[in-house]
């Protein structure tokens, strides 16, 4: 019998070896991890069940916090109009197109169609940040891609709550929709600011780098769990807390270096485990049954993403916020789906209509996004002349 600790050690060893091999062949290590997980699924001792709680409580807080620590407020503020447009109107446009396609193409009722559309309409912060970090994409394009994937959680969460309520027979009202948005989005930001502010007060009273690391760890998890407890956005809460810690200079000189190194490692571990678990969770026997509707859903997902990116960016063509067509192409193809979609679909009630069917087609879409888009984004960047020649995988 393999214990949980032994299983974790095996997963970390595989992750480290796969990362080395992927770097050697200049492939995205996240894609390599998914393939490694698929191979490991043949060995029952290596199996770890991927659940919503595992994704939300173990993986998302450190991944979001680590990304937020490196996000500078001045750079984000410059891109806020485009970011918020993509994260709100873009998600709505994408969800609308996908929902119509599912209803008329797959024959699902409107409630289920809207629910599935919401699950895959928002880009995933875990997959996007991991991929773009590996490719060495920084500057404006990196900021747009990462900030959109972090901010669109609020929109996706509100749409998911509305869609789930409609599917279970609870018709939402206009006032209810606005209230949900304020509660989820603003509640997450306020909760994150409170926890982040408290962490800064404590960090400012010590010069011990170990204590500074400890307080930032507490901030990452406490902000997320506090927001989720009150049904607000944990992603936005941890994003807010991380940006506060990263932008308010209270860390000591040694603490700043130690905190950055610590979170870089934690981000690597969490990323490695989550992509391995995605591979481990893919059941090709189940996916083979739904390959045709999954293929249609992939097409709808890409169509929705194209509509979101090109329509939203068109609104800024004659302004100082203009996004070049090269950058738009990257925003379109680099909008990966991943852990967030899986967490939401795994959280559907057991008796939800068509739950297994929805679960399988969403898993298939995530597999396509991580593997196909993940393998082709670097060639696209090279073809567009955007790639950083110093990047490991580009």
């Amino acid at each position: 019998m393999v214990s949980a600790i032994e299983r974790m050690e095996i997963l970390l060893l595989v992750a480290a070896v796969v990362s080395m091999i992927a770097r050697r062949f200049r492939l995205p290590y996240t894609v390599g991890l998914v393939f490694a997980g698929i191979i490991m699924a043949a060995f029952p001792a290596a199996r770890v069940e991927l659940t919503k709680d595992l994704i939300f409580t173990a993986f998302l807080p450190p991944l979001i916090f680590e990304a937020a620590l490196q996000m500078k407020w001045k750079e984000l503020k410059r891109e806020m109009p485009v970011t918020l447009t993509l994260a709100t109107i873009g998600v709505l446009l994408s969800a609308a197109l996908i929902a119509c396609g599912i209803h008329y193409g797959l024959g699902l009722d409107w409630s289920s169609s809207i629910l599935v559309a919401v699950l895959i309409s928002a880009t995933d912060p875990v997959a996007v940040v991991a991929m773009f970090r590996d490719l060495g994409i920084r500057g404006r394009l990196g900021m747009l891609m990462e900030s959109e994937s972090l901010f669109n959680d609020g929109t996706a969460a509100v749409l998911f709550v509305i869609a789930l309520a409609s599917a279970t027979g609870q018709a939402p009202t206009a006032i209810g929709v606005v209230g949900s948005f304020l509660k989820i989005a603003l509640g997450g930001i306020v909760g994150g600011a409170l926890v982040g502010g408290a962490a800064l007060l404590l960090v400012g009273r010590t010069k011990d780098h170990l204590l500074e690391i400890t307080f930032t760890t507490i901030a990452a998890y406490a902000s997320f769990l506090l927001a989720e407890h009150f049904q607000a956005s944990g992603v936005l809460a941890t994003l807010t807390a991380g940006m506060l810690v990263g932008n308010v200079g209270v860390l000591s000189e040694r603490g700043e270096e130690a905190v950055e190194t610590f979170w870089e490692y934690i981000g690597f571990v969490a990323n490695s485990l989550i992509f391995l678990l995605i591979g481990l969770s893919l059941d090709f026997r189940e996916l083979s049954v739904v390959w045709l509707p999954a293929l249609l859903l992939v097409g709808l997902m890409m169509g929705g993403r194209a509509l979101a990116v090109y329509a939203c960016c068109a609104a800024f063509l004659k302004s100082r916020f203009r996004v070049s067509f090269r950058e738009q192409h990257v925003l379109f193809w680099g909008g990966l789906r991943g852990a967030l979609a899986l967490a939401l679909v795994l959280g559907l009630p057991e008796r939800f209509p068509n739950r297994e069917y929805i679960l399988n087609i969403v898993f298939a879409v995530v597999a396509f996004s991580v593997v196909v888009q993940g393998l082709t984004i670097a060639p696209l960047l090279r073809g567009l002349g955007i790639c950083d020649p110093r990047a490991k995988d580009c």
Side-chain angles (χ1 to χ4, degrees):
M1 187 72 176
V2 180
S3 69
I5 294 177
E6 291 171 330
R7 189 176 286 113
M8 185 66 66
E9 289 178 346
I10 292 171
L11 292 176
L12 285 175
L13 175 61
V14 170
V17 173
V18 168
S19 180
M20 290 172 63
I21 295 172
R23 296 285 191 269
R24 177 72 177 80
F25 292 97
R26 300 185 71 183
L27 295 172
Y29 92 100
T30 51
V31 178
L33 290 169
V34 172
F35 279 120
I38 292 171
I39 296 171
M40 291 176 66
F43 304 94
R47 282 194 170 276
V48 178
E49 185 181 1
L50 190 64
T51 65
K52 178 185 177 181
D53 288 340
L54 183 61
I55 294 173
F56 267 51
T57 60
F59 297 133
L60 276 183
L63 289 169
I64 301 303
F65 193 83
E66 192 268 338
L69 274 177
Q70 299 186 41
M71 190 171 286
K72 300 307 175 186
W73 170 245
K74 288 183 178 179
E75 297 175 13
L76 175 62
K77 187 168 63 172
R78 284 200 302 265
E79 307 303 336
M80 194 64 83
V82 181
T83 294
L84 292 182
T85 301
L86 287 169
T88 53
I89 297 173
V91 173
L92 289 169
L93 288 173
S94 179
L97 187 147
I98 295 170
C100 290
I102 292 172
H103 178 70
Y104 293 109
L106 298 182
L108 290 181
D109 61 88
W110 275 113
S111 295
S112 296
S113 298
I114 294 171
L115 186 71
V116 176
V118 168
L119 287 170
I120 63 171
S121 59
T123 57
D124 179 65
V126 176
V128 169
V129 172
M131 184 66 64
F132 274 65
R133 291 277 174 83
D134 275 350
L135 295 170
I137 302 301
R138 297 290 187 267
R140 189 187 188 212
L141 180 57
M143 175 59 72
L144 282 174
M145 199 78 243
E146 292 185 17
S147 60
E148 181 209 352
S149 68
L150 290 164
F151 277 97
N152 65 21
D153 169 73
T155 307
V158 172
L159 293 177
F160 182 76
V161 169
I162 295 168
L164 187 58
S166 299
T168 53
Q170 305 170 31
T173 63
I175 295 176
V177 171
V178 174
S180 294
F181 181 79
L182 293 175
K183 178 182 179 181
I184 292 172
L186 294 183
I189 293 171
V190 170
L194 290 173
V195 173
L200 287 174
L201 288 175
L202 292 170
V203 168
R205 293 179 178 273
T206 180
K207 298 299 180 183
D208 187 329
H209 66 287
L210 295 178
L211 291 178
E212 290 175 303
I213 291 173
T214 302
F215 290 137
T216 60
T217 304
I218 293 170
Y221 282 95
S223 57
F224 193 95
L225 296 175
L226 177 67
E228 290 293 323
H229 177 75
F230 289 102
Q231 297 180 322
S233 170
V235 171
L236 291 179
T238 304
L239 171 65
T240 304
M243 287 194 66
L244 272 174
V245 174
N247 285 272
V248 178
V250 297
L251 294 170
S252 65
E253 185 176 344
R254 186 180 180 189
E256 188 172 353
E257 183 180 349
V259 165
E260 184 178 341
T261 302
F262 171 80
W263 281 106
E264 185 178 5
Y265 173 69
I266 294 300
F268 168 76
V269 170
N271 259 319
S272 299
L273 293 178
I274 202 166
F275 284 103
L276 270 176
L277 292 179
I278 288 175
L280 278 165
S281 302
L282 292 176
D283 189 335
F284 286 95
R285 289 172 298 180
E286 296 289 341
L287 297 183
S288 64
V289 178
V290 297
W291 71 270
L292 191 57
L295 195 61
L296 174 62
L297 194 57
V298 166
L300 290 171
M301 177 189 72
M302 300 312 299
R305 181 61 180 169
L307 175 63
V309 169
Y310 295 115
C312 288
C313 290
F316 298 98
L317 281 177
K318 297 187 182 298
S319 73
R320 66 185 182 90
F321 301 108
R322 182 181 182 276
V323 181
S324 72
F325 286 110
R326 288 196 311 166
E327 292 171 327
Q328 289 181 47
H329 299 333
V330 178
L331 289 173
F332 158 63
W333 193 249
L336 276 64
R337 274 59 167 184
L340 196 57
L342 295 183
L344 292 175
V345 75
L346 287 167
L348 289 176
E350 288 293 332
R351 295 186 179 181
F352 189 84
N354 302 309
R355 185 181 186 275
E356 287 302 314
Y357 177 72
I358 292 172
L359 191 67
N360 287 328
I361 58 175
V362 170
F363 260 89
V365 166
V366 170
F368 169 87
S369 185
V370 172
V371 175
V372 178
Q373 290 178 264
L375 283 173
T376 55
I377 187 67
L380 174 65
L381 290 169
R382 286 195 293 268
L384 294 172
I386 295 176
C387 214
D388 184 347
R390 297 167 298 178
K392 299 172 183 175
D393 299 332
C394 208

